[in-house]
Amino acid sequence: MDEALLRTLTPTVIGILVRRGGDFAAAEDAVQDALIEAVRVWPNDPPRDPKGWLVAVAWRKFLDAARADTSRRRREELVEIEPMPGPAEAVDDTLQLYFLCAHRSLTPASAVALTLRAVAGLTTRQIAQAYLVPEATMAQRISRAKRTVSGIQFDQPGDVATVLRVLYLVFNEGYSGDVDLAAEAIRLTRQLAAMAEHEEVAGLLALMLLHHARRPARTRTDGSLVPLAEQDRDQWDTRLIAEGVDVLQAALARDRLGEFQAQAAIAALHADARTAEETDWMQIVEWYDELLRLTDNPVARLNRAVAVGEADGPRAGLAALAELDPSLPRYTAAAAYLHERDGDLVTAARLYTEAARLAPDLPERDHLTRQAARLNAKLRG
C-alpha cells in the first residue's frame, strides 16, 4: 500500500468534507477513520480511484459520527440538570458501551481515550487537555486504539477501573469544560454503583455529588467565575451534599482507600465548612498526602501546594509550589494567588496577567484578567 499517497490525499479529502458542510475537527476525525479502513482494505482490494474511495468512506463516517452526536445530545437533553437522589434507574446501553470500549486488548489509557471519543463524544482537543498532552499526541493514541480493536469481537467487557476513569473525565469535562455532561456522568455512575459493591465506585459517585452540589454558586449571572472562597454557600445543594457524605462514609468504612475516595474526602471538607475561613485546611493537606500516596498526580501536587499555603502560610505554599513543574496547567495562577496572599502585589499582578494568557477557556481567562486589573488598580492607588 502506498502510504505516501495516503499522506498526500489526506488534506485534500479533509478539505472536500469541510466544503460539504463539516467542521474541520469532525472532518479530520472522519478522514482518520477512513485511513484506518484503507490500511485494512487496500492491501487485498486496492481501489481504482483512491481519492474517490477515501472521500466516499470518510463522508460516510462523518455522517455516522454526526448521527451519533445528535443521538447523544438528545440523551443529554432528557437528563435533568440536577440529578435526583436515591436508587439508580435500570441500566441502559450507554454504560454497557463504556464497558465494551474498555477492551482488554487496550491499555487503560488508550481505552479511556477511545471511549471518551467514541461514546462520550468529547473532541480530541478536550481529551488531550484532560490528559495534559498535545492534541496531536492524543490523536495518534486514539488512532492506535482504533487500529487495535479493528476486527475484534466486542463480547468481553473491560474492567471497572477503566470505566471509572472514563466517567471521572466525562464528569470533569461536564463540570468545568464547554460540554454539559456532568449530570449524565452522575446518572451512569449511579447505575454502576447499583451494579457493583465497589468502594471506588462509591467514592467516585460521592465526589461527583459533592462537586455538583456547588455548581449553582460557581458562576455569576453574567457567566463569570466565582472562586470557591467567594461562593454564596447558601446556594449549595445541601441535599446532594448530604447524599455525597453518606455515600463516602459507607465507602470509607470498607477500609480500602482509593484515589476517588480521597478526592471525595477533600470535597467533603470543603462542603462541611460554613464559611471559607472555617475550612479545615490541615485535614485537607493530610488527605492530599493520602491521595499522593495512591497516585502521583501532578495536578494533585499543585492543589496540595495551594492547600499548604492556606494551612501553613503563603510562603510554605510557594515553597511547595517551587518543587513542581512550572508548565503544569494553572501553576502560574496558583503562584499569583500565593504571592498575593504573601503581600507581593507587583509579582502577583504580573503572574495573574501571564496566567490569563495561558488559561484554557474564556471564563477562566476573564477571571484572571480581572484579578490582575484589581491588583494593578490597587498598586496605582
Side-chain angles (χ1 to χ4, degrees):
M1 184 182 63
D2 192 342
E3 295 183 5
L5 175 62
L6 289 178
R7 286 195 296 271
T8 302
L9 289 174
T10 295
T12 302
V13 178
I14 291 174
I16 291 172
L17 265 61
V18 170
R19 287 194 295 274
R20 287 187 178 183
D23 66 79
F24 184 83
E28 191 176 36
D29 285 342
V31 173
Q32 190 176 81
D33 289 341
L35 292 174
I36 293 171
E37 187 73 7
V39 170
R40 187 178 68 84
V41 171
W42 285 15
N44 297 321
D45 186 18
R48 289 191 297 273
D49 179 8
K51 176 182 171 182
W53 189 98
L54 278 176
V55 170
V57 174
W59 182 243
R60 185 173 69 246
K61 290 187 178 293
F62 173 82
L63 293 176
D64 288 345
R67 283 192 289 268
D69 185 62
T70 299
S71 298
R72 176 182 61 78
R73 291 183 185 278
R74 285 174 182 164
R75 288 199 305 271
E76 290 172 15
E77 290 171 359
L78 297 175
V79 178
E80 293 181 357
I81 294 301
E82 295 300 331
M84 295 297 292
E89 61 192 80
V91 177
D92 64 14
D93 290 343
T94 307
L95 190 58
Q96 183 182 11
L97 286 173
Y98 274 61
F99 272 95
L100 291 177
C101 282
H103 200 275
R104 298 179 188 278
S105 63
L106 297 171
T107 64
S110 294
V112 170
L114 179 62
T115 313
L116 289 172
R117 186 72 188 91
V119 183
L122 301 190
T123 66
T124 304
R125 176 184 59 81
Q126 290 166 334
I127 302 168
Q129 289 175 346
Y131 270 92
L132 309 180
V133 300
E135 184 174 351
T137 300
M138 183 53 64
Q140 291 173 356
R141 183 179 298 176
I142 294 171
S143 294
R144 286 195 299 269
K146 288 178 179 178
R147 286 196 296 271
T148 299
V149 299
S150 178
I152 288 177
Q153 184 71 27
F154 281 84
D155 56 359
Q156 294 296 320
D159 67 314
V160 171
T162 301
V163 174
L164 283 180
R165 180 62 51 190
V166 176
L167 290 169
Y168 174 69
L169 292 173
V170 170
F171 177 81
N172 279 349
E173 181 58 38
Y175 183 71
S176 60
D178 54 8
V179 181
D180 188 2
L181 293 171
E184 172 71 355
I186 292 174
R187 184 181 73 87
L188 294 172
T189 306
R190 285 193 191 281
Q191 290 184 357
L192 188 54
M195 292 167 52
E197 284 289 325
H198 192 296
E199 59 280 354
E200 275 292 81
V201 175
L204 179 58
L205 178 58
L207 175 64
M208 290 178 174
L209 294 172
L210 290 164
H211 277 302
H212 205 67
R214 302 202 302 259
R215 186 171 187 170
R218 290 184 65 248
T219 56
R220 299 181 180 88
T221 54
D222 62 0
S224 59
L225 294 180
V226 183
L228 177 60
E230 299 174 19
Q231 289 177 12
D232 178 1
R233 300 185 180 217
D234 289 338
Q235 293 186 43
W236 290 1
D237 190 328
T238 55
R239 173 180 55 84
L240 286 182
I241 290 173
E243 183 187 1
V245 169
D246 287 345
V247 172
L248 173 63
Q249 289 176 340
L252 292 175
R254 299 172 191 167
D255 199 24
R256 290 193 294 270
L257 185 65
E259 62 173 300
F260 294 127
Q261 295 168 75
Q263 289 190 57
I266 293 167
L269 286 167
H270 283 298
D272 187 54
R274 291 175 297 177
T275 66
E277 293 73 25
E278 294 179 60
T279 305
D280 190 342
W281 287 106
M282 293 297 295
Q283 272 205 70
I284 287 176
V285 171
E286 291 173 2
W287 274 110
Y288 271 119
D289 290 338
E290 291 288 344
L291 178 59
L292 289 170
R293 275 192 280 272
L294 295 163
T295 173
D296 189 18
N297 185 296
V299 175
R301 289 195 176 278
L302 179 68
N303 291 337
R304 179 189 180 278
V306 176
V308 168
E310 300 286 359
D312 299 329
R315 294 193 179 181
L318 286 167
L321 196 65
E323 299 174 2
L324 307 180
D325 183 353
S327 67
L328 274 174
R330 298 183 174 87
Y331 177 100
T332 308
Y337 172 74
L338 291 170
H339 276 290
E340 180 183 357
R341 288 203 61 231
D342 195 39
D344 186 354
L345 302 190
V346 173
T347 301
R350 175 179 57 79
L351 289 172
Y352 275 130
T353 301
E354 182 182 342
R357 289 197 299 269
L358 300 170
D361 54 58
L362 184 59
E364 186 170 337
R365 187 180 312 132
D366 288 345
H367 169 71
L368 293 167
T369 300
R370 282 192 295 271
Q371 296 294 87
R374 174 180 58 81
L375 293 187
N376 283 325
K378 185 180 292 188
L379 289 167
R380 287 193 299 270

